Amino acid sequence: MGNTDTGYPSSRVAIPPAQPFLKSLKYSLKETFFPDEPFRQFKNQTASKRLVLGLKYFFPIFKWGPQYTIKFLKSDIIAGITIASLAIPQGISYAKLANLPPILGLYSSFIPPLIYAMMGSSRDLAVGTVAVGSLLMASILGREVNPKENPKLFIHLAFTATFFAGLFQASLGLFRLGFMVDFLSHAAIVGFMGGAATVVCLQQLKAILGLEHFTHEADVVSVMRSVFTQTHQWRWESTVLGCCFISFLMVTRFLSKRQARLFWVSAMAPLTSVILGSLLVYFTHAHKHGVQVIGELKKGLNPVSVRDLVFVSPYMTTAIKTGLITGIIALAEGIAVGRSFAMFKNYHIDGNKEMIAFGTMNILGSFTSCYLTTGPFSRSAVNYNAGCKTAASNIVMAIAVMLTLLFLTPLFHYTPLVVLASIIVSAMLGLIDYEAAIHLWKIDKFDFLVCISAYMGVVFGSVEIGLVIAVVISVLRVLLFVARPRTFVLGNIPNSGVYRNVEQYPNANHIPGILILEINAPIYFANASYLRERILRWIDEEEDKIKATGKTSLVYVIMDMSGVGNIDASGISMLEEVKKIIDRRGLQLVLVNPGSEVMKKLHKAKFLEEIGHNWIYLTVEEAVGACNFMLQTYKPNHTKDESEGWNNV
């Protein structure tokens, strides 16, 4: 819509055809909740075909199962046995971390992996309990019920919290609300996981020092106070064992990192530690000299626990709170890990299907004496390095755990708690990603602030405080991006028709009499006032520069709106106000390339008529050309209302 009456050629910015409200709403909802268009495959299919496709969608095992080969089976058996050797000691260790009976860690490594193998879309994720989720559960539930004074109720609340975590996860997947998890930024997750890992390591000082009484608080101050007020109760036997096994585990991890083909050394190290520790205690009778052991683990598969769920006040509120918090963290970790390994193997996983799979395995797990499970990084990394081909490696691992539950649990009687603590410490040290924090510092100081704030919140406050800080700062940054969008002054790149930010390209030339601004964000109520003030400040600064140099006065203000994807009523009011102020100064507002949604709303608000169709251009080059043409052809009359263009000059 250039100024055709002046003879200057220009392209027209089209106003998109009006769309019915329901059609626009349907499109918006589809883009929000169904960006991957999951129902496309069901179009024009028979009822039986739709049933088969539906089964394959919710149960991917029906998709890859018919193409399964003996070669895949060999790889998955090796991977499954390898991760089972890690899952068994980790399961026992993390259950102790959650203040739950160790056997529950084995139960949780049996049923959930079977469910995930049928419903999960990742080939590499190895399902099991995680340290951070275990710590969260112990921390939140421990404030309501003491696990030592009322262990039965504590266990039942753990099952109930797992049920609500699964319900929440499955609901997010079914209602396509997975984008909510994205509010946990990468920086927030790095800081939160590092803080949680630090707290978990500090909690292991109880077993490493052989202490019987220890604080239930998770912050570093409480832990250090508890440690150093009991120096007379430290057991040197436990400390020596702990240091030896931590060193052994760290050396094996170092070897595995140096030589990728030696991944099995690190994977087998935890089970080797359990065997060596148990034999050492058995033959030296160390359990009679202050070295604490697991004790008896009953044989048998998971007992049904559906009747143990607690749905009565006041415990139900605590269970729901615990379920929501642990469910979010488990989702964030599981999906992030799954996507990482999918990227390495160049395949795609569906985040919403993963949520449904996680939710289902936790719901059914809560019915079968399991507590919270997800896809931990350490176990999945071992699964990946072991050469797994499909999710069937989880089935192999589950079978190995089942055989352990049926026949081998008595062998863990003499396993020292200090070995379990060593396994946890070695696993947690890998979650303190200081290299990622340094990387954030180099790239984005605000991201580093998010990371370190989440870390400090966990270490000096609590896991919940750290999580809240991480989410609040991440959301605050999103709001800052929206409320304070970037605006730039554009200049002409010499010998071209290209206009770019003059700060990024110092050689870009200013156009005499013309100020070119670029807005790179939607214009909403949250940023309308800021943009009004920023635009007027740009104009004031430009006029001050012109006065100082004595050059041609400012006549045109061009606003490049190519980056403005949408605008609301407050944004339109802001543009109207800016135009009136510009008019009073004797200047002319020119718009460049408003998007389809913006043009539609400006047309409905009659702003296009107010500014004049002749002052809207398709490109900055056209707008500048037209303005220069007017400056050279006509002497501007700054006292008249130029919203009508120069048609009547």
Side-chain angles (χ1 to χ4, degrees), residues 90-91 93-100 128-141 184 188-201 203-204 218 322-334 337 371-379 423-425 427-433 454-455 458-459 462-468 470:
Q90 277 192 348
S93 303
Y94 294 157
K96 291 290 293 181
L97 181 62
N99 290 329
L100 295 169
T129 55
V130 287
V132 176
S134 301
L135 176 67
L136 275 169
M137 193 161 285
S139 175
I140 303 174
L141 293 181
L184 278 172
I189 291 175
V190 168
F192 175 79
M193 297 298 271
T198 302
V199 169
V200 169
C201 289
Q203 288 284 338
Q204 303 319 302
T322 308
L324 291 178
I325 294 175
T326 56
I328 290 173
I329 294 301
L331 272 185
E333 181 175 359
V337 171
Y371 78 102
L372 185 77
T373 52
T374 184
F377 177 80
S378 58
R379 211 173 298 180
I423 292 170
I424 293 174
V425 169
M428 290 303 96
L429 290 176
L431 291 180
I432 304 175
D433 197 348
Y455 180 86
V458 174
V459 172
S462 67
V463 178
E464 301 98 296
I465 290 174
L467 179 61
V468 169

Side-chain angles (χ1 to χ4, degrees), residues 486-487 517-521 523 531 535 559-564:
R486 299 299 301 273
T487 57
L517 302 177
E518 179 183 10
I519 301 175
N520 267 340
I523 304 176
L531 284 174
I535 291 168
M559 287 175 52
D560 183 1
M561 301 181 69
S562 301
V564 181

Side-chain angles (χ1 to χ4, degrees), residues 144-157 315:
E144 187 70 27
V145 178
N146 190 311
K148 291 185 177 179
E149 295 175 1
N150 201 341
K152 189 175 181 180
L153 178 59
F154 188 87
I155 294 170
H156 292 175
L157 283 178
Y315 302 117

